[in-house]
């Protein structure tokens, strides 16, 4: 990880050794996920070393609308499909707080993963019979250290929303990340995910990413 | 003396700043009342207040006394005061204006005095002048607080309004004072008044040598800095003035005097070129005001700058997507933004005011270029966006200019119309009447969409200029002849062109059809005798449109457009009462369509003819009459297609004799029924499926299209009543029906129509329909049924069903009775009660409903004189329950009907029918609040027990019917006994029934012996509980909750009860959220959760699962301690629901699971 933090003002981070609470009070907090360091910056002031200073923002694709919503047959089965998974990820989890990635003037309108084309409907593969789902996401830049947290959030969201019979596979799109293999391994290793989720700070972080669903 | 003592007290109270505002107000009021009553005079008050008015304590002097005096005067606005008093008071306040500490009191005092009206003693002009002077000299408005500033502006406004002469004397001083006061003001309410002050000043000093003229540049500078208005703080100030009002005020101020012109117009033009939409809208509005107030000569200087700016605004605000849809046939066809609307208004104003402005428009290069653009593209879709914009904007500009005045219309038409026609290849007619080279001209016509659009816009614009007939005489003929004659010259070929556009259109392109129809519509909408379109041409338009409607065999865009155009023209004729055109319309459109309805064989599907006819004909009462006549005829002809008519046809004499014999010999019921049956089979009639279908469609059209518009169309009621009567006539004259295939549908439609017509008719019309129906029924074989003795044997013996004709008559008659109002008179009630009683025991539910309605509306015996019936409620009940002779209980289980219900006698069929019938009768009684319903309810509940009183087991089917009877009793019925059918409805009847039945049902449930009876009791209870208003449930949550929960678990066993289960679940969900039910819900949380968890996997109905999961999510509002223990259980159930076959359930489950996880500890995220 080629990751440097330079203090932006007197009150900022040279304090990696400080207790976490204090860090949060100073509007910066961090956690470590194994060898990865992610620093979230909230608010207007920026540290240098933005992960992606200037992401390309895409226009939101027109939503495919369900046509069979008037299905009146009581006993027909509606299998879980691509769109449903996508909706799970986006109706609740519509605005994943990506505003760490960029200095956003209006923190009320951060870009969503969809706008950044991190996730698209086509990136979801699902097979209801085989109880299998695979989500492939594309980090905006190769060194995006947010990739882990995005992947973890997606996994948690799906684990919470899909029946237990499902096997969930989260992948980074081929060639889109510097440490692709390591990342894939990390995201799909049961032990490491479980370990990560035992870290209360990390869980809090993930919950925050998924927070709009509670509102 | 007492008054004076009190006075001191009140004064003290008011002066004391530490007291609350309510105290102040009270003491103020007390003093004011005593002043008003005359107990106290102003003089006395002033003398008493001497100390306060002159004290050296600033606070007491200012706040207390002077303000008190001022407020007092405000109270006494209408009390006459002596002029001397007013004079001395105003002198006092004027002097006090100079003292800044007491300025608020002084200002409000002056204001109160100046506002006084004539009779009550007013301030003289001299005094007013003094006030103004003192104010101008000693008050620095902008250094005051908000409220004081507002008072200042109000005072200025009042002075200017009420003492104009005095203010003119002051001259410059007032203008200076105003300038100074406004400078830097930021508060909307103050500004509102300030703008008005400027307006008043401008009105006061109109002369070019006056102070306003000389100070114009300064004054304008002070007000122009607010333009365009922009609120920085939008929220939190509700009492404030809306932006629109303030902006309007500013606009009026700016346009108030022509002296502002050199400064205002350049500023407004500059703002118009800004990119801010608000600035554009405001400046356009303001420019319009200016154009009105500054006058032509001053505006003329700016035309050169104004026109390009205006044109740019129009170009920038027009969108290029022109709609060819149905809805835009009568509108411009594209979206009009606010900027666009204002720009159009301004243009129209300018052209109307000064015809020379039009010169700029006519000579404009872009406007002239458009003809090239038009001829470059044939189809609208092919055009580039820029060309589309060009065409739309230019047509808008030209049509708006043309609409402004007759003169401008003439110029526009003279300059452009022939050119346009040339481009389109439309030739003018050389001699009146006929067209030269008819064929050639249509061939050479080039239907450029852009050109057609422009042409239509111009025609639509010009049609508004035709004066109505009264104005016509005053306008000189020559003024309007010019454009009229141009249109007249081209009219025939134009119509030709539009027609060919419509005809050449195909289904995939609606633009041709749209433009063609719109063009025809525009041509057809010229008003009055001086219309450029002659009558024959008008008729041609109508013929074309009608033929489009008649020719199509499917519902295309073209068909719909033509229909809408016809409807528009119809209502246009009605609005301007054009008698000549109405005649043409009648002859061409109405007659044609009605004849289409009448003839059963044409290419157009029947429902489409009906739709077209009903739409077109409802534009005018005379058409409606015609149409209903047509409908009547159509009904009669199709009706006689599938039944044998008695009139002209000669029947087999023998058969007929048998019938008449059997009717006269009433004993042989059986034989007469057989003969009837025989008659039906012997007559071989080719039942025509199509005609019977047509009949039911026609009836549906009457119910769905005509009846809802009854209030809009005069005279429709009368025609419909005639229609109903002719239905009866038709039925009377036909003796045998041969239908089997679509028959049910037809009978249903006929019943519905008949019921609704009777429902909307007046009492007199109802009487005539009832009389007619009664005559038909008494001439039929039905009366024979009345005499059947109400014994089991007789009823069981009546095996055979009624003939189809009798069934139809019976159903229709029942509908009539259902729709009749309580005031209508029904002949021979007693035998009708008998008839209905027998027929519902034979399984005709409609008869039971009719009987219920009749019971509901009959007058009680004690009611004294009644004209309507020969039978009271009591008598009718006696007949029904057959118990008048023996005992006191009138309708309990001892009665004949009760016995059948309980299964003491008769077959199972008879029993279930009796139960259903009893439910309807009970509903009639229940709604009118009659006590007899209690006994009926008891009988029904008796049926729900597993065994009746004599120990025989009740049949499950009977129990089911009895349980459903509670639904009939409690729910609102669509088909009878509702407000539409004039039912007598006592308020709160549901609540009453609820309080009577629920305790009994509860105790029965506790004591129930078999599972079946228990289930049925729960079904009955669920019906009662789910139909009563929610508030009643909420009041009784504590009692009901456990029984509801038990009901939910009992009902979830069998899929038959799924609907009932759902409605009961909805009741439960209602109690969960309400504050009233919260306590008992919290107490029963464990049971509720247990029950809901079970329902999350209810297999038979998706909505049940969905609601159960939603309820579980709602339960999270309960105290944390109550629900935490069930977390695991709920999460398990909801996790299972994540794999539900239905998507909606899964979505709810995700939300619910999320919510329930969040109450568990952080360490277990899933």
């Amino acid at each position: 990880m080629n990751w440097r933090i330079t203090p932006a003002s007197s009150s900022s981070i040279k304090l990696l050794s400080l207790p976490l609470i204090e860090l949060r009070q100073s509007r910066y907090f961090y956690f470590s996920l194994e060898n990865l360091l992610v620093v979230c910056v909230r608010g207007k002031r920026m540290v240098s070393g933005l992960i992606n200073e200037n992401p390309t923002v895409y226009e939101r694709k027109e939503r495919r609308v369900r046509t069979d919503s008037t299905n009146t047959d009581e006993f027909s089965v509606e299998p879980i499909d691509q769109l449903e998974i996508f909706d799970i990820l986006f109706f609740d989890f519509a605005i994943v707080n990506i505003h760490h990635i960029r200095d956003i003037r209006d923190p009320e309108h951060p870009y969503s993963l969809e706008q950044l084309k991190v996730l698209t409907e086509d990136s979801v593969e699902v097979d209801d019979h085989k109880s299998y789902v695979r989500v492939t996401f594309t980090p905006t830049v190769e060194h995006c250290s947010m990739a882990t947290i995005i992947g973890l959030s997606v996994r948690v969201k799906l684990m919470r929303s899909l029946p237990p019979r499902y096997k969930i596979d989260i992948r980074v799109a081929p060639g889109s990340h510097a440490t692709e293999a390591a990342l894939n391994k990390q995201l799909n290793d049961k032990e490491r995910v479980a370990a990560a989720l035992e870290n209360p700070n990390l869980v809090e972080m993930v919950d925050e990413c998924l927070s709009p669903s509670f509102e | 003396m007492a008054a004076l003592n009190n006075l001191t007290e009140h004064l003290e109270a008011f002066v004391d700043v530490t007291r609350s505002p309510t105290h102040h107000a009270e003491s103020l009021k007390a003093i004011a009342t005593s002043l008003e009553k005359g107990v106290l005079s102003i003089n006395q008050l002033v003398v008493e207040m001497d100390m306060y008015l002159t004290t050296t304590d600033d606070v007491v002097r200012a706040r207390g006394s002077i303000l008190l005096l001022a407020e007092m005067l405000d109270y006494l606005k209408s009390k006459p005061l002596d002029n001397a008093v007013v004079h001395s008071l105003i002198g006092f306040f004027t002097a006090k204006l100079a003292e800044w500490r007491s300025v608020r009191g002084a200002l409000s005092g002056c204001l109160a005095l100046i506002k006084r009206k004539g009779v009550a003693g007013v301030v003289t002009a001299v005094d007013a002048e003094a006030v103004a002077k003192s104010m101008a000299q000693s008050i620095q408005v902008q250094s005051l607080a908000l409220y004081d500033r507002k008072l200042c502006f109000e005072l200025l406004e009042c002075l200017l309004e009420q003492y104009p002469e005095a203010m003119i004397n002051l001259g410059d001083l007032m203008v200076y004072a105003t300038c100074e006061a406004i400078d830097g003001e930021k508060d909307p309410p103050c500004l509102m008044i300030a703008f008005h002050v400027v307006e008043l000043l401008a009105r006061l000093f109109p002369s070019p040598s006056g102070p306003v003229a000389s100070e114009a540049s300064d004054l304008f500078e002070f007000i122009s800095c607010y333009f365009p208005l922009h609120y920085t703080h939008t929220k939190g100030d509700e009492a404030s003035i809306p932006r629109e009002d303030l902006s309007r005020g500013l606009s009026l101020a700016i346009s108030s005097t022509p002296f502002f012109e050199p400064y205002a117009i350049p500023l407004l033009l500059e703002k118009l070129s800004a990119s801010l939409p608000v600035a554009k809208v405001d400046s356009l509005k303001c420019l319009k005001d200016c154009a009105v107030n500054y006058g032509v000569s001053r505006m003329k200087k700016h035309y050169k700058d104004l026109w390009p700016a205006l044109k740019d605004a129009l170009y920038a605000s027009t969108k290029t997507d022109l709609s060819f849809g149905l809805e835009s046939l009568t509108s411009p066809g594209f979206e009009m933004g606010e900027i666009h609307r204002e720009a159009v208004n301004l243009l129209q104003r300018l052209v109307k005011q000064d015809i020379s402005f039009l010169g700029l428009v006519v000579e404009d290069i872009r406007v002239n270029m458009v003809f090239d653009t038009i001829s470059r593209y044939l189809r609208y879709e092919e055009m580039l966006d820029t060309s589309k914009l060009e065409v739309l904007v230019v047509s808008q500009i030209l049509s708006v200019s043309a609409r402004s005045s007759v003169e401008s219309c003439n110029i526009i038409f003279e300059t452009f119309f022939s050119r346009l026609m040339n481009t389109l290849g439309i030739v003018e007619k050389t001699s009146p009447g006929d067209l030269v080279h008819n064929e050639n001209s249509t061939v050479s016509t080039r239907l450029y969409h852009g050109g057609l659009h422009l042409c239509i816009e111009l025609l639509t614009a010009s049609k508004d200029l035709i004066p109505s007939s009264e104005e016509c005489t005053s306008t000189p003929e020559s003024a309007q002849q010019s454009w009229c004659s141009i249109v007249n010259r081209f009219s025939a070929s134009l119509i030709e062109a539009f027609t060919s556009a419509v005809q050449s259109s195909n289904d995939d392109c609606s633009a041709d059809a749209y433009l063609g129809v719109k063009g025809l519509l525009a041509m057809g909408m010229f008003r009055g005798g001086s219309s450029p379109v002659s009558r024959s041409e008008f008729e041609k338009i109508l013929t074309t449109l009608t033929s489009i409607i008649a020719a199509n065999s499917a519902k295309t865009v073209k068909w719909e457009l033509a229909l809408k155009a016809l409807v528009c023209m119809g209502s246009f004729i009605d609005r301007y009462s054009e008698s000549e055109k109405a005649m043409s319309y009648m002859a061409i459109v109405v007659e044609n369509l009605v004849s289409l309805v009448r003839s059963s064989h044409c290419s157009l599907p029947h429902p489409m003819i009906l739709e077209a006819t009903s739409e077109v004909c409802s534009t005018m009462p005379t058409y409606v009459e015609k149409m209903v006549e047509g409908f009547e005829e159509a009904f009669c002809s199709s009706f006689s297609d599938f039944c044998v008519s008695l009139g002209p046809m000669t029947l087999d004499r023998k058969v007929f004799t048998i019938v008449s014999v059997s009717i006269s010999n009433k004993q042989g019921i059986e034989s007469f029924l057989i003969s009837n049956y025989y008659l039906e089979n012997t007559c071989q009639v080719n039942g025509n499926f199509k005609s019977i279908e047509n009949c039911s469609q026609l009836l549906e059209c009457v119910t769905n299209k005509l009846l809802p518009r009854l209030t809009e169309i005069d005279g429709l009621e009368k025609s419909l009543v005639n229609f109903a009567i002719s239905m009866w006539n038709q039925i009377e004259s036909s003796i045998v029906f041969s239908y089997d295939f679509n028959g049910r549908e037809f009978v249903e439609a006929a019943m519905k129509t008949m019921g609704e017509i009777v429902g909307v008719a007046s009492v007199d019309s109802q009487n005539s329909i009832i009389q007619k129906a009664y005559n038909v029924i008494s001439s039929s074989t039905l009366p024979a049924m009345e005499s059947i003795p109400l014994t089991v044997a007789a009823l069981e013996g009546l095996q055979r069903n009624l003939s189809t004709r009798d069934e139809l008559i019976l159903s229709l008659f029942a509908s009539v009775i259902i729709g009749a109002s309580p005031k209508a008179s029904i002949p021979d009630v007693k035998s009708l009660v008998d008839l209905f009683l027998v027929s519902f025991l034979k399984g005709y539910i409609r008869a039971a409903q009719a009987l219920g309605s009749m019971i509901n509306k009959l007058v009680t015996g004690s009611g004294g004189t009644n004209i309507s019936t020969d039978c009271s409620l009591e008598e009718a009940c006696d007949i029904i329950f057959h118990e008048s002779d023996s005992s006191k209980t009138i309708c309990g289980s001892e009665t004949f009907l009760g016995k059948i219900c309980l299964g003491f006698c008769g077959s199972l069929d008879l029993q279930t029918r009796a139960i259903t019938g009893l439910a309807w009768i009970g509903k009639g009684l229940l709604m009118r609040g009659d006590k007899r319903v209690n006994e009926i309810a008891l009988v029904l509940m008796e049926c729900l027990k597993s065994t009746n009183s004599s120990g025989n087991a009740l049949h499950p089917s009977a129990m089911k019917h009895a349980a459903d009877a509670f639904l009939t009793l409690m729910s609102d019925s669509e088909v009878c006994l509702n407000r539409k059918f004039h039912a007598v409805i006592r308020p709160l009847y549901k609540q009453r029934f609820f309080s009577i039945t629920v305790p009994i049902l509860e105790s029965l449930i506790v004591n129930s012996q078999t599972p079946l009876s228990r289930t049925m009791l729960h079904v009955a209870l669920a019906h009662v509980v789910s139909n009563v208003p929610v508030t009643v449930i909420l009041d009784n949550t504590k009692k009901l909750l456990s029984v509801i929960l038990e009901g939910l678990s009992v009902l979830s066993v069998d899929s038959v009860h799924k609907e009932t289960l759902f409605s009961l679940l909805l009741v439960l969900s209602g109690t969960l959220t309400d504050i009233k039910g919260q306590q008992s819900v919290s107490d029963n949380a464990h049971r509720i959760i247990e029950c809901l968890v079970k329902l999350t996997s209810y297999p038979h109905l998706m909505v049940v699962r969905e609601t159960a999961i939603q309820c579980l999510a709602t339960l999270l509002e309960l105290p944390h301690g109550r629900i935490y223990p069930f977390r695991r259980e709920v999460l398990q159930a909801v996790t299972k629901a994540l794999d539900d076959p239905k998507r909606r359930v899964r979505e709810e489950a995700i939300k619910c699971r999320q919510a329930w996880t969040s109450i568990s500890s952080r360490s277990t995220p899933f």
Side-chain angles (χ1 to χ4, degrees), chain A residues 66 68 71 73-81 84 88 92 156-157 159-165 197 203 207 213-214, chain B residues 1058 1099-1103 1105 1135-1136 1138-1144 1146-1147 1150-1151 1153-1155 1157-1158 1162-1163 1165-1166:
Chain A
R66 275 192 196 283
D68 56 346
N71 187 354
D73 182 10
E74 186 58 47
F75 299 106
S76 68
V77 176
E78 299 165 347
I80 297 178
D81 61 8
E84 186 169 341
I88 288 174
D92 299 330
V156 169
K157 180 71 198 178
M159 279 161 100
R160 284 179 185 171
S161 314
L162 288 178
R165 66 187 161 92
L197 293 178
V203 169
D207 273 340
S213 58
F214 297 129
Chain B
K1058 56 186 179 186
H1100 307 297
L1101 202 62
M1102 179 196 64
V1103 274
R1105 297 195 295 273
T1135 309
K1136 227 180 274 168
L1138 286 177
D1139 208 5
D1140 197 275
K1142 291 290 179 184
R1143 193 164 289 124
R1144 271 163 63 192
R1146 291 198 292 263
E1147 276 165 17
I1150 292 170
K1151 279 186 213 150
R1153 187 165 191 266
Q1154 199 95 253
T1157 339
S1158 69
R1162 282 283 186 192
S1163 60
F1166 34 72

Side-chain angles (χ1 to χ4, degrees), chain B residues 870-888:
Chain B
D870 56 344
C871 172
S872 69
L873 176 66
E874 283 74 21
E875 287 172 281
C877 284
D878 284 348
I879 299 168
I880 293 169
F881 299 108
H882 226 272
E883 206 53 25
S884 57
D885 39 22
S886 61
S887 71
K888 293 270 180 268

